[in-house]
Amino acid sequence: MGLTLTEKILKAHIVDGEFVKGQEIGIRIDQTLTQDATGTMAYLEFEAIGVPRVKTERSVAYIDHNTLQSGFENADDHRFIGSVAKKHGIWFSRPGNGICHQVHLERFGIPGKTLIGSDSHTPTGGGIGMIAIGAGGLDVAVAMGGGAYYITYPKIVKVNLTGKLSPWVAAKDVILEVLRRLSVKGGVGKVIEYCGEGVKTLTVPERATITNMGAELGATTSIFPSDEVTLEFLKAQDRAEVWTELRADDDAVYDETVDIDLSAIVPMAACPHSPDNVKTVAEIGKLKIDQVCIGSCTNSSFMDMMKVAYILKGKTVHPDVSLAIAPGSKQVLNMIAQNGALATMIDAGARILESACGPCIGMGQSPNSKGVSLRTFNRNFEGRSGTKDGQIYLVSPEMAALSALTGYLTDPRELGDMPKFEMPRQFVINDNMVAAPAPEEEMDKVEILRGPNIKPYPETAPLVENIECPVSLKVGDNITTDHIMPAGAKILPLRSNIPAISQHCFTVCDEDFPRRAKNLGKSIIVGGVNYGQGSSREHAALAPLYLGIKAVLVKSFARIHRANLINAGILPLTFVNEADYDKISQGDELAIENVRADIEAGKTELTVINRTKGVNIPVLCELTGRTKDIILAGGLLDYTRESLK
Ligand code: MIC
Ligand code: SF4
């Protein structure tokens, strides 16, 4: 029986466990990446683990999220990360060099290698045939220390691409179509593998747009084969030597197949407030817009920028629209500066932003009240833009650029004939904004530079014998990490300071939650399906930990967030019967008796006693040998410190 591409790479990296679907496996990690918003915590954790130099083949620390620097905090974090990187063998991509996923694809990714990153869009690397997975900062710290990374052996979904995209229909529309079909929870526990004749019609940046936004499916990752197109891209990046051909065997067996005819896809938009709320332009109708933002790790490549410049050439942005453009990397910005495309954008009235995440994570460019904003990004969760009632639509760069001119959501096919946009045969290469680590013999001389905003990891404690506490919060379905731990310009600077950032935990849903939880001392959160979807930010677990949350009981979890809860020593529980969700109200007193003994004994079904309502509720606590030990120890940090010794 032949193998899928995913199986081939996983088999070459497995260090623990068996290839049985649904079971936990440990894989060796070749590369890691961090970004600054999750990076300070990840490096504090790495320091706490106590390994002097990273054991990976390549680890890169990027500064791309918190680049606003409205106070000292961001700059202090940058300095801290830069010094840790220098000391411990990590490459440091300085602010201005670009968005981590874009730069990693251009300069560091290698087909067939494994990559984990403390950012949920790490699967961008799947665009060149990597197994690239988003993870919590602590998992990345462990991998840098030489530890394995654990995933549930995934189901593998074949997306069979046929045909060719029509003019002005984009890779963004392909992933929107996949989201429309599978939904934001359709990928949980799965790897999405793209195959078929249609693959070779897509350039590497187009493939990367698709694997990037595969994160919104809840998938473990997404991957494309490494073929001639990949080789051409790597050649143009002066990296042909890292190429290997990789594809699934012809007789590979998949768990599911999805057929997509590229020629049948039409331009679409994900409507507020979910990436799977996908509609065609015709279905949405004439929608007047206030803002357009082009950029983010999904759509900020050189090719994207060239298409945008072509559409804007000789035109002026509509008087009611503000257009912001953030090219994805220094390489992209430099190339469009050199070839005149940047001047075209400026001429049309675009507001040019630095190569960073920027508006995607609410770092500036929040829309006006009730403002309709078209964005080429990957997430449109409520409030993420920084404007609570902002109406965010996720679209392709082509649709964004044309709509910025017309003032309303416009189908880019109205542009008529499309010229051929050629991939460059040679990118402009200058890695002068990537600082190399100090040589091993000099690392002791490197001083770690800590600012006053950098506070230590919150206190943890081994799992208690009995959990007895009230429900401090009850929430509904599809709670995102942007609900649990909001980002944006005001809150992101606090990422290195858990006590301070905790004051914003869940305030999108309930302003009083942080104060209430802290006053209760210990408590439980109850939620619905797909709890914790979205980002990899472990702050969505560390803030609850700091606020005394002992367990989270929900209908189902998103993958990375569940792992982050376990890493923080918070018990992840799911209802055996989803209907029991209705048997608990906020404020109810709950108890889980003998929880430690039961988990030690390997019991997976526990009983939650609702003392207020006088009912017993069966719940699942599915922990493997390793995650069981982590929970018993009070989190991954203590567990790892011991096991790496
Ligand atoms: C995001 O897109 O939500 C982020 C900001 O990049 C996060 C990471 C973070 O919260 O720092 C992610 O995707 O993991
Ligand atoms: Fe940055 Fe947005 Fe990409 Fe997250 S999704 S890494 S915030 S550009």
Side-chain angles (χ1 to χ4, degrees):
M1 197 174 76
L3 294 177
T4 64
L5 175 53
T6 307
E7 286 165 329
K8 287 185 186 181
I9 302 178
L10 289 180
K11 280 216 149 138
H13 287 85
I14 188 160
V15 289
D16 196 6
E18 306 275 329
F19 273 102
V20 180
K21 305 255 172 214
Q23 290 209 358
E24 197 180 52
I25 54 166
I27 53 171
R28 178 170 44 79
I29 295 301
D30 301 319
Q31 299 192 340
T32 62
L33 70 79
T34 56
Q35 41 89 341
D36 48 315
T38 53
T40 31
M41 210 31 82
Y43 293 113
L44 288 171
E45 291 154 352
F46 179 74
E47 285 186 310
I49 292 170
V51 174
R53 216 164 160 88
V54 291
K55 296 191 173 156
T56 44
E57 292 173 14
R58 171 86 71 182
S59 287
V60 189
Y62 293 90
I63 306 293
D64 55 359
H65 279 61
N66 295 336
T67 55
L68 213 52
Q69 296 171 226
S70 53
F72 65 92
E73 293 90 347
N74 296 160
D76 279 5
D77 286 351
H78 302 171
R79 227 171 40 140
F80 167 69
I81 293 174
S83 63
V84 170
K86 192 166 179 193
K87 191 175 183 81
H88 297 292
I90 300 152
W91 296 77
F92 180 59
S93 174
R94 297 173 56 192
N97 197 44
I99 305 174
C100 54
H101 309 303
Q102 175 69 25
V103 178
H104 208 84
L105 191 76
E106 291 167 355
R107 307 301 306 140
F108 298 111
I110 299 180
K113 297 282 183 187
T114 53
L115 162 73
I116 64 167
S118 61
D119 192 281
S120 65
H121 291 103
T122 304
T124 313
I128 50 166
M130 304 186 84
I131 285 288
I133 307 178
L138 189 44
D139 283 316
V140 176
V142 168
M144 287 191 287
Y149 176 60
Y150 286 81
I151 52 168
T152 306
Y153 186 71
K155 287 190 174 160
I156 303 170
V157 181
K158 174 180 185 172
V159 178
N160 189 32
L161 299 178
T162 53
K164 189 175 180 308
L165 289 173
S166 310
W168 302 115
V169 181
K172 182 60 153 280
D173 299 309
V174 178
I175 187 63
L176 290 177
E177 172 64 15
V178 179
L179 274 155
R180 191 183 69 79
R181 293 199 203 178
L182 302 185
S183 91
V184 287
K185 49 184 191 301
V188 176
K190 300 174 186 171
V191 171
I192 316 292
E193 200 172 302
Y194 290 85
C195 319
E197 280 301 291
V199 163
K200 63 174 187 291
T201 68
L202 299 170
T203 62
V204 164
E206 287 174 318
R207 297 174 185 186
T209 293
I210 294 170
T211 57
N212 170 286
M213 206 172 165
E216 274 49 72
L217 297 162
T220 305
T221 191
S222 305
I223 187 167
F224 272 82
S226 166
D227 57 8
E228 285 295 315
V229 176
T230 323
L231 176 60
E232 287 311 310
F233 175 79
L234 289 169
K235 257 191 203 157
Q237 292 284 355
D238 278 354
R239 300 202 298 124
E241 73 287 355
V242 302
W243 180 76
T244 39
E245 186 171 15
L246 291 168
R247 60 182 188 92
D249 292 330
D250 292 336
D251 56 347
V253 179
Y254 290 87
D255 296 288
E256 286 166 41
T257 302
V258 176
D259 288 306
I260 294 188
D261 175 4
L262 294 174
S263 44
I265 292 184
V266 298
M268 284 173 287
C271 303
H273 298 285
S274 181
D276 63 358
N277 188 12
V278 174
K279 298 199 172 88
T280 62
V281 182
E283 283 165 344
I284 297 168
K286 196 160 178 172
L287 176 74
K288 192 167 163 14
I289 60 174
D290 302 289
Q291 186 195 45
V292 172
C293 295
I294 298 174
S296 92
C297 57
T298 319
N299 274 124
S300 58
S301 68
F302 174 77
M303 295 295 276
D304 285 336
M305 294 298 137
M306 291 311 291
K307 289 175 190 163
V308 168
Y310 173 86
I311 295 167
L312 296 180
K313 194 163 179 66
K315 309 273 178 17
T316 300
V317 171
H318 188 277
D320 298 340
V321 176
S322 162
L323 168 65
I325 302 178
S329 67
K330 167 173 172 274
Q331 180 182 77
V332 174
L333 182 56
N334 199 359
M335 284 175 71
I336 61 172
Q338 290 185 21
N339 73 9
L342 181 63
T344 302
M345 294 171 178
I346 295 169
D347 207 40
R351 301 165 65 180
I352 306 300
L353 307 178
E354 72 172 318
S355 295
C357 299
C360 179
I361 190 56
M363 295 298 268
Q365 300 290 329
S366 299
N368 54 285
S369 299
K370 297 199 177 75
V372 174
S373 177
L374 302 190
R375 298 176 162 213
T376 65
F377 308 164
N378 46 37
R379 290 188 174 143
N380 58 347
F381 303 143
E382 198 171 359
R384 181 175 160 105
S385 66
T387 301
K388 210 166 176 202
D389 54 9
Q391 304 292 309
I392 313 300
Y393 292 74
L394 306 174
V395 301
S396 68
E398 293 86 333
M399 193 187 293
L402 181 59
S403 305
L405 300 176
T406 60
Y408 60 90
L409 183 79
T410 310
D411 188 329
R413 290 175 300 177
E414 288 183 16
L415 287 160
D417 291 342
M418 188 178 86
K420 193 160 169 39
F421 293 97
E422 295 283 355
M423 275 290 285
R425 303 185 79 81
Q426 177 66 52
F427 288 94
V428 171
I429 292 160
N430 182 354
D431 292 326
N432 61 345
M433 291 300 277
V434 181
E440 208 160 342
E441 58 283 8
E442 283 173 29
M443 56 181 274
D444 287 345
K445 288 191 217 136
V446 181
E447 189 198 340
I448 303 292
L449 305 167
R450 276 172 234 278
N453 185 45
I454 301 180
K455 298 280 187 280
Y457 192 85
E459 269 179 38
T460 52
L463 181 65
V464 290
E465 298 301 334
N466 302 300
I467 294 181
E468 293 183 292
C469 53
V471 175
S472 52
L473 186 71
K474 184 174 178 188
V475 287
D477 289 346
N478 287 319
I479 287 294
T480 72
T481 50
D482 279 286
H483 291 106
I484 306 172
M485 198 59 264
K490 292 192 195 92
I491 304 177
L492 268 183
L494 305 173
R495 282 291 179 92
S496 317
N497 185 339
I498 300 297
I501 205 168
S502 299
Q503 300 315 309
H504 301 273
C505 184
F506 265 120
T507 47
V508 181
C509 306
D510 181 341
E511 291 227 336
D512 196 40
F513 171 74
R515 195 195 53 80
R516 189 167 64 241
K518 197 77 192 146
N519 285 348
L520 288 170
K522 51 184 182 160
S523 62
I524 292 177
I525 293 173
V526 175
V529 297
N530 201 23
Y531 179 89
Q533 69 161 320
S535 108
S536 68
R537 62 190 72 145
E538 60 190 340
H539 303 75
L542 296 181
L545 168 70
Y546 176 80
L547 295 173
I549 303 303
K550 299 296 168 201
V552 177
L553 170 57
V554 298
K555 292 182 183 172
S556 64
F557 283 104
R559 179 186 68 87
I560 307 179
H561 185 61
R562 181 177 185 275
N564 283 339
L565 287 174
I566 294 172
N567 289 352
I570 298 176
L571 213 52
L573 304 173
T574 49
F575 290 101
V576 172
N577 308 308
E578 288 196 358
D580 286 345
Y581 170 86
D582 297 327
K583 294 186 183 157
I584 305 179
S585 311
Q586 193 164 304
D588 284 358
E589 288 288 339
L590 306 185
I592 316 170
E593 291 172 352
N594 300 320
V595 61
R596 186 175 178 94
D598 282 351
I599 287 178
E600 255 169 0
K603 269 181 85 172
T604 51
E605 193 167 323
L606 308 175
T607 302
V608 170
I609 306 165
N610 187 337
R611 293 216 166 115
T612 309
K613 298 217 164 48
V615 284
N616 284 1
I617 297 168
V619 299
L620 287 177
C621 182
E622 289 175 309
L623 299 170
T624 59
R626 191 189 69 100
T627 48
K628 184 178 101 180
D629 291 344
I630 294 172
I631 282 286
L632 291 171
L636 180 60
L637 198 55
D638 293 308
Y639 169 86
T640 307
R641 247 192 240 126
E642 286 309 310
S643 58
L644 282 182
K645 267 181 191 159

